[in-house]
Amino acid sequence: MTTQVDRPVVASDAEQAAGSARWAHRHLLDVDGLTRADIDLVMRTTDEMHEVLGRPIPKVPALRGTSVTILFYEASTRTRVSFEVAAKNLSADVVNIAASTSSVTKGESLVDTVRTIEALGADMLVMRHAVSGAPYLAAEVFGGSVLNGGDGWHGHPTQALLDLYTLRGRLPGGSLEGRKVVILGDVLHSRVARSNIWTLTAMGADLWLCGPTTLLRGFEAWAARGAAGRRFTVTADVGAALRDADAVMALRIQRERMAGGLLPSLREYAARYGLTRERLRAASPEVIVLHPGPMNEGVEIAPDVAVDPRSVITAQVANGVAVRMALLYLLAGTHHDAASRRELS
Ligand code: CP
């Protein structure tokens, strides 16, 4: 899906070389509209937020006077809570709305809900929705900034950016260039995989998607045609995928999105594709293990692998706060007076 309301902004070569690219996106609907310079800016801003989080009082006035509404139509722990913590760390006013307790249950449309939230003073809207594309519709009617916290099977941009930040922090030299990164599991239903394909290939990773063929449908064609010169490999051969891998991300088997017949059984999936210590022997000895969560331990990832010293799963969660602080900060700058929001001290 391409962004209808937020065209990619390509920084000039000079800006990229100087590292001075400026953020010019009003919304964050997915990562496919971000340039490499944009991604680098998010990473650098996240470093700054990381420094803020290391202070005795991890709070700055950058978004004082800004109202952030968090509207989730689907369950969430990590994304919802970390957006709330991030916004509060930036001194924003935060309103939480669970669709299950709102007038949505009385038949109110998404558009009416978004207009109501804006009338109540929201400047920024963080939303999750079970329907792919819902945040794009919200962005058409909302006067402020929309941040996608996950829409259907389509995209999860903040997850992809925090995954990237976590990988950069662990890989020698902080670079993904030429690194073999494997995404293993239920790729078909995964918005995390779809967003990660864009960011990881943008940063030069050698990306492999692996899972049962029924859960890879459509991705072979995408890989074959490439995407703006980016290439990745799609395979059902878990041994080939994991061989010498620098990083592997296990994906949750999304039982709630699974139509009948895609998997014989969870037990068979675990036996053939579950990420176990035995399977990880084929990978680099320093392999980095990721999982976006929530995990089905014993299905896509063995419990001992989840807590293995090579696992960065809790670091992913922690980095989610800094990345979301960075994104709120950058997006706020596209519709607020810069002088009033630049305070990080
Ligand atoms: N990774 C992720 O989106 O987790 P939540 O569903 O808990 O937000």
Side-chain angles (χ1 to χ4, degrees):
M1 184 174 297
T2 51
T3 307
Q4 299 288 311
V5 291
D6 191 17
R7 296 252 168 256
V9 175
V10 181
S12 70
D13 289 347
E15 279 180 326
Q16 294 202 32
S20 62
R22 294 185 53 183
W23 188 262
H25 301 275
R26 184 171 134 205
H27 306 290
L28 182 73
L29 302 177
D30 200 2
V31 283
D32 58 354
L34 301 184
T35 63
R36 184 162 178 157
D38 290 327
I39 295 171
D40 284 336
L41 180 58
V42 173
M43 298 294 113
R44 286 200 305 276
T45 311
T46 302
D47 283 338
E48 288 183 60
M49 298 304 167
H50 215 265
E51 185 273 317
V52 169
L53 291 173
R55 296 176 190 173
I57 301 175
K59 197 165 174 121
V60 288
L63 264 63
R64 194 164 48 200
T66 298
S67 178
V68 177
T69 294
I70 301 174
L71 172 66
F72 271 42
Y73 288 78
E74 260 194 350
S76 166
T77 304
R78 291 152 205 77
T79 312
R80 195 194 61 72
V81 174
S82 62
F83 259 119
E84 181 170 348
V85 172
K88 287 178 173 170
N89 286 346
L90 295 170
S91 303
D93 299 315
V94 181
V95 175
N96 259 296
I97 304 175
S100 58
T101 55
S102 75
S103 288
V104 167
T105 59
K106 301 176 195 165
E108 184 173 72
S109 71
L110 173 62
V111 166
D112 281 343
T113 302
V114 170
R115 288 196 174 123
T116 301
I117 287 168
E118 184 171 355
L120 291 168
D123 300 302
M124 307 183 85
L125 174 61
V126 180
M127 70 176 287
R128 169 171 288 189
H129 204 287
V131 174
S132 297
Y136 292 73
L137 177 61
E140 285 179 17
V141 295
F142 186 64
S145 293
V146 176
L147 293 94
N148 182 2
D151 63 321
W153 303 6
H154 167 249
H156 198 345
T158 61
Q159 181 70 45
L161 290 163
L162 76 87
D163 292 338
L164 177 63
Y165 188 78
T166 306
L167 279 170
R168 282 167 49 123
R170 300 293 171 128
L171 286 168
S175 170
L176 274 85
E177 201 66 52
R179 295 289 186 175
K180 184 174 182 181
V181 180
V182 183
I183 297 181
L184 173 65
D186 184 359
V187 178
L188 179 67
H189 300 106
S190 177
R191 54 194 175 211
V192 173
R194 284 179 177 80
S195 288
N196 262 295
I197 286 170
W198 290 102
T199 44
L200 295 175
T201 56
M203 304 313 278
D206 172 19
L207 181 61
W208 289 58
L209 304 181
C210 181
T213 49
T214 49
L215 300 181
L216 293 171
R217 278 189 318 210
F219 287 88
E220 298 95 334
W222 187 357
R225 92 172 168 264
R230 306 159 194 220
R231 301 195 67 81
F232 54 94
T233 305
V234 179
T235 182
D237 182 345
V238 68
L242 291 179
R243 194 172 307 127
D244 301 324
D246 295 296
V248 55
M249 177 188 299
L251 293 178
R252 183 170 70 89
I253 294 293
Q254 302 199 27
R255 281 176 271 192
E256 74 277 19
R257 301 192 207 278
M258 194 78 66
L262 292 178
L263 281 181
S265 71
L266 290 180
R267 185 185 299 185
E268 184 165 329
Y269 177 84
R272 296 191 57 202
Y273 288 98
L275 190 59
T276 59
R277 281 199 171 141
E278 178 63 29
R279 287 214 164 90
L280 275 177
R281 288 209 184 102
S284 156
E286 291 84 34
V287 67
I288 300 164
V289 175
L290 304 104
H291 193 303
M295 290 186 282
N296 292 311
E297 289 186 48
V299 181
E300 72 268 5
I301 188 166
D304 58 349
V305 173
V307 295
D308 189 278
R310 295 168 294 181
S311 163
V312 296
I313 294 169
T314 50
Q316 286 174 272
V317 176
N319 287 337
V321 175
V323 167
R324 290 176 176 118
M325 285 172 72
L327 291 163
L328 287 167
Y329 179 76
L330 290 169
L331 266 72
T334 62
H335 59 101
H336 282 266
D337 170 44
S340 68
R341 65 173 184 80
R342 286 280 165 199
E343 287 298 318
L344 282 181
S345 55

